[in-house]
Amino acid sequence: MDLTGTMLRAAAARPRVLVVGMPGGAAVRLAAERQLRLRDWPPATTPAQADLLLVVGPLCPYLHTALERLWQNLPAPRARAHVRTADEVLAALDAARARLASSAAQREQEPPAETDSRPPQDRRHESSSDQDGMEGHAFLDKAAQDGEHGEESVPDRSNGRYTGSGSAHSSRKQHHGNHGGEEKRGDGGDAHEDHQGHGGGGMEMPGGLPIAGQGEDRDGLTLDQLHVPLGPFLSDWPTGLTLRLVLQGDVVQAADLDEEPLFASRPVESFWVQPWLRSAAGEAVGSGEAARRRAAARLDSLGRLLVVAGWPAEAMKARRLRDDLLDGAPAAALASRLERLGRRVGRSRTLFWLTRSMGVLTAQDAQAAGVSGPAARADGDVAARYRQWLTDIRLDVTRLDDPSALDPAEESPRGRWDAQQPPSAALVALLPRLLDGAELAAARLIVASLDPDLDELAAHSREGAARG
């Protein structure tokens, strides 16, 4: 009796899938998420949970090393697939599941780049120990589930930001692939290298964990400092973004952007601003088409935020509406579902209390920073920004049949479109200041509430190169 084969086939019947997006791969990611939902294959948010690694989008040589380290962190049995176009998704998922169920395919898998003699269960346990850094909001899960069923007791998180200032810290290294800030070997970015010279003297604890340095916190106390990279492969995270944080306890003392040229090796076009790019190129584009794409983009951002906040059920509803919009569904077929989503999310006391006072961005500060769109109109915190998304989505759904030509001044999903200064550039530049003093869990929500699209920056770089 082939007991191993039987167990592999049972595991492959409904594998957990970790979807990793590449720059320029938004359309492929959307197709993959739809197919996974139709097949009822559950998503994985960390490598420790995953049976199947699904890489979506064009090849990106800059991220190759990080991707390989991420792959080595998946415990066996495992399989991987790289899907470059939306048309390849179905075949790639079927082939990956077949490899996952095959004893021969599992035996033939290439050995890890770094020899690790520990059994899979030990590696899985070590990976699980860092899930707080990966998911960011495990503590929100129960509150989000319980809070909608009557009176809830929610801790006051109005102190999610701390007063004071932290100096920006730059710890750029050769490797930038850490998946969600996991501080261990084989996680996608050699994160422990960033700690040498920061109080640890290059010393490490068993398993590759660094020894934290020390520094004064905002109250003048001397506490351990930990240098943690977030991204670029964090689940429900802006594709290609890497942030370098200095933590004391769970408080961000300083944040810095990793500014390596992610898109220097090839051109990338942003899926979400295609109507504006086509209009700028002289093509006739209708306002209704742009409104449909804009509403879908904001539903996509809302879905990310809801997952990070620990509310996957509502995130799934937002993503279904997103997919139906992209499929061309009429406004009448979407109105009632959108209204229910708006009531459920917009009136949620739990979600409001968990996000209030986080990442406050006033309209005046937004204008000074060059931020436009919903982030500027919200004139407030994370809660104000997701509520602004809901308002804007409802308005756009009423304009799906607008036949008039797209006005170049009409805003794109993240703000007023300008090829020389894409709206996401201002959002990215704003992150270090908004994260300074925030709790680590709040940092994930702040990033999700802005959700910059780094593909916009690539489109800007390509147009600049063409003009040059």
Side-chain angles (χ1 to χ4, degrees):
M1 179 179 178
D2 183 10
L3 182 59
T4 299
T6 300
M7 295 180 67
L8 286 174
R9 287 189 293 274
R14 192 168 177 261
R16 296 184 68 92
V17 183
L18 179 62
V19 178
V20 171
M22 293 285 107
V28 192
R29 172 179 64 83
L30 296 174
E33 288 179 355
R34 174 179 301 195
Q35 285 302 320
L36 294 176
R37 186 178 72 241
L38 293 175
R39 294 174 180 229
D40 195 27
W41 290 8
T45 55
T46 71
Q49 299 173 346
D51 304 305
L52 195 160
L53 176 65
L54 183 64
V55 183
V56 294
L59 287 171
C60 185
Y62 174 79
L63 296 175
H64 176 75
T65 300
L67 188 61
E68 288 305 308
R69 291 185 179 277
L70 175 63
W71 164 243
Q72 298 303 338
N73 210 33
L74 265 70
R78 59 184 181 172
R80 68 188 293 182
H82 188 176
V83 185
R84 294 167 179 80
T85 67
D87 294 337
E88 300 174 5
V89 171
L90 286 173
L93 290 177
D94 290 337
R97 181 165 67 171
R99 290 193 297 274
L100 187 62
S102 169
S103 300
Q106 293 301 312
R107 286 193 297 268
E108 291 170 2
Q109 293 212 58
E110 59 185 359
E114 298 176 3
T115 303
D116 193 341
S117 60
R118 294 170 298 163
Q121 60 268 28
D122 289 348
R123 286 189 285 123
R124 186 183 295 270
H125 174 73
E126 181 188 63
S127 299
S128 298
S129 68
D130 272 315
Q131 287 186 14
D132 283 346
M134 300 274 299
E135 300 178 47
H137 286 276
F139 75 96
L140 299 183
D141 229 348
K142 187 176 185 301
Q145 294 170 4
D146 295 344
E148 301 304 320
H149 301 287
E151 296 298 322
E152 64 251 13
S153 176
V154 181
D156 186 343
R157 298 187 56 81
S158 60
N159 63 344
R161 281 188 55 81
Y162 290 73
T163 58
S165 62
S167 60
H169 174 79
S170 175
S171 57
R172 303 186 185 99
K173 295 289 182 180
Q174 293 296 320
H175 305 289
H176 303 283
N178 183 273
H179 186 103
E182 288 188 292
E183 298 297 318
K184 62 179 181 300
R185 174 171 40 123
D187 62 356
D190 281 352
H192 61 271
E193 293 185 11
D194 288 330
H195 300 264
Q196 299 184 17
H198 296 292
M203 298 176 62
E204 296 178 357
M205 297 170 62
L209 288 167
I211 295 177
Q214 290 187 331
E216 287 192 359
D217 77 343
R218 296 166 186 272
D219 297 321
L221 303 175
T222 300
L223 300 176
D224 287 344
Q225 285 187 334
L226 194 61
H227 298 257
V228 178
L230 292 182
F233 293 142
L234 189 60
S235 178
D236 291 289
W237 180 260
T239 300
L241 178 66
T242 302
L243 291 169
R244 306 273 168 176
L245 307 182
V246 179
L247 298 178
Q248 284 186 311
D250 65 346
V251 178
V252 178
Q253 295 292 324
D256 190 28
L257 289 168
D258 199 334
E259 298 176 353
E260 291 290 340
L262 286 177
F263 313 106
S265 59
R266 59 179 177 80
V268 171
E269 185 172 280
S270 172
F271 172 80
W272 297 116
V273 296
Q274 280 183 3
W276 286 264
L277 294 174
R278 287 162 43 210
S279 177
E283 184 177 341
V285 179
S287 290
E289 178 185 351
R292 184 178 292 275
R293 186 65 60 95
R294 186 169 51 233
R298 288 169 180 167
L299 282 166
D300 185 61
S301 296
L302 180 64
R304 289 176 185 256
L305 184 142
L306 292 173
V307 170
V308 173
W311 206 355
E314 293 305 306
M316 183 68 71
K317 294 175 183 177
R319 287 168 173 171
R320 285 174 176 161
L321 281 165
R322 172 202 69 190
D323 292 343
D324 289 346
L325 270 169
L326 293 174
D327 280 345
L334 303 171
S336 60
R337 293 162 55 201
L338 181 60
E339 187 63 28
R340 287 195 297 271
L341 178 70
R343 287 198 305 267
R344 182 78 167 155
V345 174
R347 300 179 184 179
S348 169
R349 291 174 297 167
T350 299
L351 187 60
F352 171 76
W353 277 79
L354 291 174
T355 57
R356 72 189 183 112
S357 302
M358 290 182 180
V360 175
L361 177 65
T362 65
Q364 182 178 1
D365 289 343
Q367 182 178 10
V371 174
S372 58
R377 287 195 301 277
D379 189 20
D381 53 12
V382 170
R385 288 193 283 276
Y386 73 70
R387 287 176 169 177
Q388 185 65 52
W389 280 339
L390 291 168
T391 298
D392 292 348
I393 292 165
R394 282 194 291 265
L395 178 61
D396 276 333
V397 168
T398 65
R399 301 180 55 199
L400 297 183
D401 298 324
D402 186 350
S404 62
L406 174 62
D407 184 345
E410 191 172 332
E411 75 175 28
S412 64
R414 271 84 181 173
R416 291 186 301 273
W417 177 249
D418 181 350
Q420 299 305 308
Q421 188 64 30
S424 287
L427 296 176
V428 169
L430 196 65
L431 286 175
R433 180 169 71 82
L434 290 184
L435 297 181
D436 183 21
E439 295 176 2
L440 178 59
R444 289 274 346 245
L445 278 171
I446 293 169
V447 173
S449 72
L450 296 174
D451 196 27
D453 179 11
L454 269 68
D455 287 354
E456 290 183 6
L457 280 62
H460 160 64
S461 299
R462 186 182 64 174
E463 288 196 14
R467 289 187 174 90

